[in-house]
Amino acid sequence: MELTRELLQPLDKSGTEAEAVGKPRTTYWQDVRRNFRQNKLAMFGLVVIIVLLAMAITGPYLSGHTYDEQNYQMANKPPSSEYWFGTDALGRDLFTRVWYGARISLAVGVLTACMVFLIGVLYGGISGYFGGKVDEVMMRVVEILSSIPFLLWVILLMVVMEPGLKTIFIALGAVYWLNMARLVRGQVLSLKEQEYVLAARVLGASPFRILIRHIIPNTMGPIIVAMTLMIPEAIFTEAWLSFLGLGVSAPMASWGSLASDGVGAISAYPWQLFFPAIFICLTMLAFNFVGDGLRDALDPRARR
Amino acid sequence: MKRNVTFTILGLLITFALILTGCAQDKGKKEETSKVIKYVLGADPETLDPAAMTGAPEGTIANAAFEGLTRYDKDGKITQGIAQKWEISPDGKTYTFYLRDAKWSDGSPVTAGDFKYAWLRALAPETASQYAYQLFYIKGAEEYNSGKGKAEDVGITVVDDKTLKVELSQPAPQFLGLTAFQTLYPLNKKAVEANPQFKVEGDKKIVGNGPFVIESYTPKQKLVFKKNPNYWDAASVKLDGLEFYLIDDDKTALTMVENGEADLVVGNVPVEDIPRLKQQGKLKVYPNLATYFYRFNVTKKPFDDPRVRKALAMAIDRKAIVETITQAEQKPAFAFTPYGIVDADGKDFRENGGNDYFKEDVEEAKKLLAEAGYPDGKGFPKVSILYNTSENHKKIAEAIQQMWKKNLGIEVNLVNQEWQVYLTMMEKLQYDVLRSGWIADYADPMTFMDMFVTGGGNNLTGWSNKEYDELIKKANSSGDQAVRMQAMHEAEKILMDEMPIMPIYFYTEPTVISDRVQDVIIPSFGVYAEFKWASVK
Amino acid sequence: MGHFIIRRLVSSILALLLIITFTFILVHMVPGGPFASEKQLPDSVMRNLEEKFHLNDPLWLQYVKYLGQVVKGDLGPSYKYENRTVNEFIRHGFPVSATLGALAVAIALVVGITLGIIAALRQNRWQDYLAMVIATIGFSAPSFIVASLLMFLFAYKIKIFPTAMWGTPAHAVLPSLALATLPTAFISRLIRANMIEVLQQDYIKTARSKGLSERVIIYKHALKNAILPVVTYLGPLIASIFTGSFVIEKIFAIPGIGRDFVIAITNRDYGLILGLTIFYAVFLMAMNLIVDLSYSLIDPRIKLTRGEG
């Protein structure tokens, strides 16, 4: 066959455009956002969190009672039109106390989770990725820290520091990242032998780039699970620490301490346990949904 | 080779658990229908050695297994124990005890030498007994304990096997009551030397001389007693045995009793359950020789001014506190020494002195506060109430905080600390206002009044008053009850006028007892429950 | 492998020494002491006590003496429970705590893995939601609430289990359930998250396209890879759960060592605090070592001995 000039003509532009599989170019983060928005449960969780936050801000002013106003005639009364969530042993309005508590508990839960995430992921990632001697030393440090009795550490903090939220964060921050670090390290140990990591290494990517761009996003599943689980644990540890005298001082109360106080009254005045407990559960569910949504949205493989 | 690690672990875990529960199983015997009372004692005893015991839980155990020269009877009066009579010299310093024919649980006779042996053992520096100071009334005892004197110089003389002579360094009428106390129980030298750690395991047993003898002990679970057939008054003991459950959770203890798994729990009934128990008629409230009060740090402004202390004490509503918070029929306190101590005339010390050294009067309190320079609380420094971690202390502090704010316009902080940190801060006077409590060591006002002498180990307020010191000294050097009691009434009045401490209420002992149990005595101090005369239906 | 274990042992002994040192310093730094009491003791009595327990020796001497004792396997006396040694506490308490822990871990693994697999396979369907709501409630409720509720329902309201104490298998039911709640929730969540991830991997797709049965795919290929974070979690979990839970042991009056630990600290029982810390540390390190070794069993690609090249 003879080649003619006509045959060598460039194709009509409209042809390629027609073949494009209609998707505009998007960045990774745009993807994440879109995937997240499409996840109904995650969006529901987000709405719940926003509502809880809004109530934490406005709730204490809605019922007309303050969090510390006592009325002995009205002690241990069940929910009514006057006291929407009932009253506690000193006749204080539980509705106001619950929303006051929300401020403390949400702050403690979320901030602790974030702090644990940062320290734990970085520490565990480095330990797992570099392996060998680095891993050996870093993991022994984790074991040392988790073997020293927490309560002793708390008592010592109590002596040297003023009680308050700052002290709570120091106490929690000192120990809570330890399990996270071990978890991340375990994942990284397994992932770093995967082909794509080898490929990245061959291509000359720096260890930190490999760790942050390639390995950590792939460990997000268990990390987010562990992080959302951290929230109720932190909420209750705060209650325990406050009870010991490290946290917010009475008559201020958090969800955790309201629930702890309520446990004794399980049979006599169940609403004293029910309300703080139900909000802790709700918070947990919401954060879980958001966490799952985030995990799915961040998953590089799920990128479409 | 592929293996499923998880399921291997699982298999191992289950096997392991089954083996261990299987091992423990043979211990769970069938329910006995015999005459045994099951009592929820509380925490695990720190020791079974009477000389080393300190708390009331241990005291209760020792009281069942041992008997001193005297014993408290059903009405809480001192009566004969191993001593069938005693003589007190006119100067109140020499006690001569005449012992009855009593036997140890191994059958050997209880002699005066057994008492001397036990008391010197408790005092010996190498024993390091914490309650050795209960014996410091005896001449030469403190010197021996502190290493300055010799054992031979301690004023305990064995006249013969059945006669014991004790010389005190100064008159102390409370000494007689102390002989019913664990530190002063006799010990069988041979048995102690064979089992110096007071273990109950294998063939190791504790030889006692009380109504019951310890049969077995499972740490943190239970103590099992059997009736002691060798007890001198075995005829009065109607029970076959006792079981003390070592459960320190109040709610669990109550549930055990309500479920019929135990027969009684004394004190520490959860407040939330009290209204229901009262309604069901299950709650019995017994008096307790103890006072709940707040200490003021008088070395600190503004508490160096008695008017401020008094104003604060007058501006709280004690009735609301006992009715809303503690709920166990505690009595509001307007004096320091509780009800239940016998005065010189045989009547009640508190009733004679009155429970009205001051009144709750907000107007008067405001006036006092204004006089002290803080009208309507203006300019009052920011101070805090320190309490040790506990739900009830927290509630009371919250209530008082609010009362002071409402009635006097004073804002205070609440600070709670872990028990030992709290103790340290109390000792070093690192507080403004401090929650406190005091339980009698013996049934005499002196156990309360000698706390606040200048520099006293338990003063801990920085308060000092010469006149008060003189009165306590006078009471301590006289053997005449009328003189002593009068001096202590006067001292208490000074204490309440000066108010380095603010009394809040007198404790009670809320108790839940099963209907099948009869004649368990709930004493007001020292021992939680006395089972000598108890029986079951 | 042998080389790895030896190196691990050496570093663990060093770590243990550091733990003992830190804890020793810490217990002597916190205020209070084993003989502090609301009723002040006379000086002579206090001196006698300090003499008896050698607390008046200089601290470094106490430290050296203590180390010498520990090397011989003797953890010394308890200061508060005067006639008992720390070794006795462990001998009596550990088997009890460990039994309860073993039961709880077994429950957590069976229930947690089942829930997790169901949720992952039915992702975003009602089974998934139900399983995850159960799990969420499980870890929102701390053990003291679960324990109180269980006792209230199954010992007080419906009397099918004994209220508390230890002895028969029936006594172990409620406390082990209470103890298992949190790890069950955690394991089910971990398994779900990881299963979903693993099921998207290429080798699962390959297995599916080869026509392997769903059963084989799930149990042989997917679960084996999804279980890694659970194994990591098991190390510290077993270490903490076998050494007892203060709350559960207190509420159910169980004579384990979890309660001893907290009581020792509130009592400033120096001997008991240090002894139990050492015991816990050794146990934790052993569990972590087993976990690390099992990594390479589960996933042969994981090499612990090689450093980053």
Side-chain angles (χ1 to χ4, degrees):
Chain A
M1 185 179 149
E2 195 185 335
L3 290 173
T4 64
R5 281 193 87 80
E6 285 82 51
L7 283 174
L8 293 174
Q9 282 296 315
L11 264 174
D12 195 2
K13 259 187 185 172
S14 63
T16 25
E17 274 166 8
E19 270 183 33
V21 191
K23 182 191 165 197
R25 292 170 69 87
T26 54
T27 66
Y28 174 61
W29 290 108
Q30 279 172 328
D31 264 1
V32 168
R33 211 171 307 147
R34 204 197 49 213
N35 285 343
F36 187 80
R37 283 209 191 110
Q38 280 170 354
N39 190 329
K40 284 192 201 105
L41 271 182
M43 287 309 287
F44 171 72
L46 199 63
V47 170
V48 170
I49 292 172
I50 291 169
V51 170
L52 286 173
L53 280 175
M55 283 306 286
I57 296 164
T58 59
Y61 311 108
L62 294 181
S63 75
H65 299 282
T66 62
Y67 73 96
D68 61 349
E69 168 198 312
Q70 302 170 5
N71 182 350
Y72 304 126
Q73 273 70 49
M74 295 305 287
N76 296 319
K77 290 281 181 281
S80 63
S81 58
E82 169 73 5
Y83 296 102
W84 301 333
F85 287 178
T87 61
D88 70 0
L90 291 171
R92 292 176 295 202
D93 179 33
L94 271 177
F95 183 83
T96 309
R97 288 177 71 74
V98 161
W99 295 116
Y100 240 99
R103 297 179 178 182
I104 299 158
S105 291
L106 288 174
V108 166
V110 174
L111 287 179
T112 312
C114 292
M115 186 168 58
V116 163
F117 172 77
L118 281 179
I119 306 175
V121 167
L122 215 64
Y123 193 95
I126 291 171
S127 176
Y129 185 76
F130 290 100
K133 288 212 177 70
V134 177
D135 179 43
E136 191 76 41
V137 172
M138 289 178 84
M139 282 301 114
R140 286 306 79 65
V141 170
V142 167
E143 278 169 0
I144 292 173
L145 290 178
S146 43
S147 296
I148 292 172
F150 182 49
L151 185 54
L152 269 185
W153 160 242
V154 167
I155 294 170
L156 193 72
L157 266 186
M158 224 151 68
V159 179
V160 293
M161 305 248 335
E162 287 281 304
L165 278 185
K166 198 175 76 189
T167 318
I168 290 272
F169 287 126
I170 292 176
L172 291 175
V175 289
Y176 267 50
W177 59 275
L178 298 169
N179 278 347
M180 176 70 97
R182 265 201 73 86
L183 189 82
V184 174
R185 173 223 178 223
Q187 291 279 297
V188 173
L189 272 182
S190 138
L191 285 174
K192 75 173 181 189
E193 307 292 342
Q194 301 256 350
E195 292 77 5
Y196 64 83
V197 176
L198 277 173
R201 204 180 292 157
V202 170
L203 287 173
S206 75
F208 279 97
R209 194 185 155 77
I210 294 176
L211 201 57
I212 289 163
R213 286 304 306 245
H214 299 286
I215 298 183
I216 305 269
N218 279 299
T219 61
M220 274 324 237
I223 290 177
I224 287 183
V225 170
M227 241 178 89
T228 42
L229 290 194
M230 207 60 83
I231 294 172
E233 221 181 320
I235 288 177
F236 280 105
T237 312
E238 180 276 324
W240 177 69
L241 293 173
S242 291
F243 182 65
L244 284 177
L246 199 60
V248 292
S249 51
M252 196 89 89
S254 62
W255 280 349
S257 48
L258 288 172
S260 318
D261 290 358
V263 172
I266 239 174
S267 46
Y269 323 112
W271 60 90
Q272 291 178 359
L273 172 63
F274 178 77
F275 288 106
I278 203 77
F279 286 109
I280 294 172
C281 273
L282 204 61
T283 310
M284 274 304 304
L285 270 176
F287 274 103
N288 266 308
F289 291 150
V290 172
D292 280 352
L294 262 184
R295 188 196 61 84
D296 293 342
L298 288 171
D299 188 347
R301 275 187 303 279
R303 209 178 162 190
R304 275 159 293 178
Chain B
M1 193 176 66
K2 301 205 168 169
R3 69 182 99 163
N4 197 323
V5 179
T6 320
F7 288 102
T8 320
I9 297 175
L10 202 64
L12 283 174
L13 287 174
I14 293 174
T15 327
F16 176 61
L18 284 180
I19 293 171
L20 283 170
T21 30
C23 290
Q25 205 172 348
D26 52 3
K27 279 183 197 160
K29 278 181 211 148
K30 270 266 155 217
E31 192 84 1
E32 281 173 41
T33 46
S34 57
K35 288 180 276 178
V36 174
I37 291 181
K38 289 175 230 151
Y39 162 52
V40 184
L41 174 69
D44 203 23
E46 285 165 12
T47 175
L48 296 177
D49 176 352
M53 288 177 175
T54 53
E58 290 82 5
T60 308
I61 295 170
N63 183 62
F66 290 90
E67 178 158 306
L69 291 166
T70 59
R71 194 174 186 97
Y72 281 92
D73 70 4
K74 292 181 195 177
D75 306 318
K77 296 213 172 61
I78 298 167
T79 180
Q80 296 103 319
I82 298 300
Q84 54 184 341
K85 61 179 173 112
W86 52 85
E87 285 160 8
I88 305 172
S89 66
D91 68 354
K93 285 191 184 177
T94 309
Y95 285 65
T96 313
F97 294 96
Y98 301 96
L99 275 54
R100 66 173 83 245
D101 291 321
K103 280 185 189 149
W104 289 99
S105 56
D106 67 355
S108 56
V110 179
T111 65
D114 294 335
F115 283 90
K116 184 173 181 178
Y117 167 72
W119 295 6
L120 287 180
R121 178 176 174 273
L123 282 171
E126 54 276 15
T127 309
S129 158
Q130 291 195 47
Y131 266 14
Y133 67 86
Q134 304 284 9
L135 287 157
F136 283 4
Y137 300 97
I138 301 171
K139 203 182 78 185
E142 188 165 6
E143 288 77 4
Y144 175 44
N145 183 252
S146 57
K148 286 178 206 131
K150 280 185 277 191
E152 298 87 75
D153 301 333
V154 181
I156 311 167
T157 319
V158 175
V159 180
D160 59 50
D161 265 3
K162 295 278 171 245
T163 316
L164 185 74
K165 206 170 90 188
V166 185
E167 285 170 82
L168 307 187
S169 47
Q170 56 178 359
Q174 63 265 37
F175 179 74
L176 193 63
L178 280 176
T179 59
F181 189 72
Q182 64 233 28
T183 321
L184 278 78
Y185 288 160
L187 287 173
N188 185 314
K189 189 176 178 191
K190 221 173 73 191
V192 172
E193 278 165 1
N195 182 14
Q197 307 241 289
F198 286 76
K199 298 251 174 199
V200 184
E201 57 183 20
D203 55 352
K204 281 185 180 159
K205 286 259 149 44
I206 294 174
V207 175
N209 65 335
F212 300 94
V213 55
I214 300 174
E215 168 84 1
S216 73
Y217 169 44
T218 321
K220 293 177 278 178
Q221 279 294 285
K222 62 178 168 187
L223 267 160
V224 180
F225 293 82
K226 258 187 11 193
K227 181 181 175 176
N228 177 9
N230 284 320
Y231 179 52
W232 68 268
D233 195 16
S236 304
V237 181
K238 299 181 195 90
L239 292 177
D240 294 333
L242 286 171
E243 283 186 19
F244 284 5
Y245 291 161
L246 309 172
I247 297 174
D248 57 3
D249 188 272
D250 300 344
K251 182 81 187 172
T252 307
L254 177 65
T255 310
M256 295 274 292
V257 175
E258 291 203 85
N259 269 352
E261 293 165 80
D263 295 315
L264 77 148
V265 57
V266 179
N268 303 330
V269 175
V271 177
E272 291 85 0
D273 293 288
I274 287 183
R276 176 178 59 85
L277 292 167
K278 268 188 196 161
Q279 212 174 21
Q280 297 170 333
K282 288 184 186 168
L283 190 82
K284 288 197 184 111
V285 178
Y286 291 89
N288 197 345
L289 281 190
T291 309
Y292 191 101
F293 63 101
Y294 274 13
R295 281 182 162 97
F296 293 116
N297 184 349
V298 308
T299 63
K300 250 186 177 173
K301 251 185 154 20
F303 305 109
D304 53 350
D305 187 335
R307 287 171 301 191
V308 170
R309 308 196 293 253
K310 211 144 189 184
L312 291 175
M314 291 167 87
I316 64 171
D317 182 353
R318 290 168 178 76
K319 195 158 160 271
I321 289 174
V322 298
E323 281 176 3
T324 313
I325 302 174
T326 60
Q327 298 192 31
E329 298 169 25
Q330 287 89 350
K331 284 199 185 80
F334 298 92
F336 188 53
T337 307
Y339 289 93
I341 295 175
V342 184
D343 206 339
D345 58 2
K347 289 187 189 139
D348 190 85
F349 181 84
R350 179 73 286 123
E351 268 159 26
N352 281 352
N355 185 22
D356 52 0
Y357 283 107
F358 60 99
K359 278 195 194 67
E360 281 166 4
D361 183 341
V362 175
E363 288 316 307
E364 182 65 25
K366 276 183 173 161
K367 236 168 71 192
L368 281 169
L369 202 63
E371 277 172 31
Y374 310 104
D376 297 321
K378 280 190 199 77
F380 200 83
K382 191 87 184 159
V383 296
S384 29
I385 299 176
L386 174 65
Y387 58 97
N388 60 300
T389 298
S390 134
E391 199 50 49
N392 262 350
H393 299 335
K394 182 170 105 181
K395 283 192 210 150
I396 292 171
E398 282 173 338
I400 288 179
Q401 178 191 40
Q402 159 128 348
M403 288 162 181
W404 283 347
K405 186 176 161 190
K406 218 160 79 187
N407 297 340
L408 301 176
I410 290 172
E411 296 264 1
V412 295
N413 281 332
L414 302 185
V415 178
N416 67 308
Q417 282 290 8
E418 186 260 356
W419 176 242
Q420 295 235 359
V421 179
Y422 153 91
L423 287 182
T424 313
M425 291 173 84
M426 167 164 83
E427 274 163 46
K428 295 185 178 159
L429 288 185
Q430 289 169 340
Y431 67 85
D432 304 316
V433 182
L434 177 104
R435 171 267 140 192
S436 300
W438 192 258
I439 305 170
D441 281 328
Y442 44 88
D444 189 283
M446 188 53 82
T447 188
F448 290 92
M449 301 319 291
D450 71 356
M451 286 170 72
F452 296 101
V453 296
T454 303
N458 292 309
N459 181 320
L460 306 173
T461 57
W463 182 70
S464 161
N465 183 300
K466 278 220 178 73
E467 217 183 319
Y468 185 89
D469 293 351
E470 282 303 320
L471 284 165
I472 299 301
K473 209 171 145 195
K474 184 172 156 198
N476 264 334
S477 53
S478 167
D480 183 351
Q481 281 292 43
V483 177
R484 290 184 71 240
M485 292 295 174
Q486 187 50 39
M488 284 191 282
H489 277 302
E490 282 167 32
E492 190 174 25
K493 183 163 188 323
I494 294 173
L495 188 70
M496 288 296 102
D497 279 342
E498 289 269 308
M499 205 140 270
I501 51 147
M502 166 178 106
I504 297 174
Y505 63 79
F506 300 126
Y507 280 91
T508 54
E509 203 84 271
T511 298
V512 182
I513 303 183
S514 144
D515 290 336
R516 66 184 278 268
V517 171
Q518 280 175 321
D519 294 326
V520 176
I521 312 295
I522 312 292
S524 59
F525 72 98
V527 165
Y528 288 142
E530 159 73 279
F531 295 97
K532 179 176 166 183
W533 299 279
S535 62
V536 290
K537 273 182 206 158
Chain C
M1 194 62 105
H3 176 72
F4 165 73
I5 292 176
I6 291 170
R7 198 180 66 189
R8 185 65 172 267
L9 280 180
V10 172
S11 73
S12 293
I13 289 170
L14 277 175
L16 194 60
L17 193 68
L18 283 174
I19 290 169
I20 298 175
T21 315
F22 283 148
T23 314
F24 189 88
I25 296 170
L26 215 54
V27 294
H28 286 278
M29 260 170 86
V30 294
F35 314 115
S37 133
E38 196 168 21
K39 307 206 164 185
Q40 302 294 310
L41 296 175
D43 289 345
S44 70
V45 171
M46 203 54 145
R47 253 199 324 277
N48 291 337
L49 283 162
E50 285 174 353
E51 182 80 29
K52 183 172 173 184
F53 290 99
H54 309 290
L55 284 173
N56 46 4
D57 286 346
L59 268 188
W60 65 265
L61 186 65
Q62 291 182 42
Y63 175 71
V64 172
K65 275 186 187 164
Y66 184 74
L67 277 187
Q69 216 179 31
V70 170
V71 169
K72 281 182 254 157
D74 175 11
L75 295 174
S78 154
Y79 288 36
K80 193 78 181 178
Y81 297 90
E82 282 186 24
N83 294 326
R84 280 186 247 172
T85 64
V86 177
N87 290 16
E88 267 176 86
F89 269 95
I90 294 173
R91 205 171 59 230
H92 289 149
F94 179 64
V96 176
S97 293
T99 309
L100 211 52
L103 284 169
V105 173
I107 295 171
L109 282 176
V110 172
V111 181
I113 291 177
T114 316
L115 275 182
I117 291 176
I118 293 173
L121 292 182
R122 299 278 178 273
Q123 194 190 354
N124 294 333
R125 268 178 270 178
W126 68 266
Q127 293 97 326
D128 179 23
Y129 298 146
L130 184 68
M132 286 308 105
V133 167
I134 294 175
T136 309
I137 294 171
F139 45 64
S140 304
S143 52
F144 68 92
I145 292 185
V146 179
S148 306
L149 260 177
L150 284 175
M151 184 187 288
F152 178 65
L153 291 177
F154 299 112
Y156 186 68
K157 282 280 162 198
I158 318 166
K159 302 186 197 311
I160 44 175
F161 291 110
T163 309
M165 301 188 50
W166 190 244
T168 66
H171 282 105
V173 176
L174 296 182
S176 57
L177 281 179
L179 203 52
T181 319
L182 194 100
T184 307
F186 198 92
I187 288 173
S188 69
R189 295 277 315 171
L190 277 181
I191 289 278
R192 176 187 180 271
N194 243 41
M195 268 304 249
I196 290 173
E197 215 143 276
V198 169
L199 286 173
Q200 289 166 357
Q201 300 265 359
D202 296 336
Y203 63 86
I204 298 292
K205 288 179 188 148
T206 317
R208 282 220 169 95
S209 60
K210 273 179 13 191
L212 288 178
S213 79
E214 199 63 11
R215 223 191 151 76
V216 174
I217 293 172
I218 291 161
Y219 291 103
K220 206 163 172 190
H221 297 282
L223 184 58
K224 233 185 88 197
N225 283 288
I227 211 136
L228 195 71
V230 175
V231 174
T232 313
Y233 172 60
L234 272 182
L237 173 74
I238 290 184
S240 73
I241 221 169
F242 273 51
T243 46
S245 146
F246 169 70
V247 172
I248 301 286
E249 290 180 5
K250 180 169 184 286
I251 292 180
F252 288 106
I254 289 159
I257 51 173
R259 196 159 48 137
D260 292 339
F261 205 7
V262 174
I263 291 173
I265 293 176
T266 38
N267 281 340
R268 304 292 190 274
D269 189 336
Y270 299 149
L272 197 52
I273 298 173
L274 277 163
L276 292 178
T277 302
I278 293 172
F279 180 74
Y280 173 73
V282 171
F283 198 68
L284 177 72
M285 288 173 171
M287 289 322 297
N288 281 342
L289 176 61
I290 293 172
V291 165
D292 283 355
L293 292 177
S294 65
Y295 279 170
S296 33
L297 281 179
I298 297 170
D299 187 346
R301 278 176 306 188
I302 297 179
K303 294 179 192 72
L304 292 152
T305 38
R306 206 191 58 194
E308 155 68 1

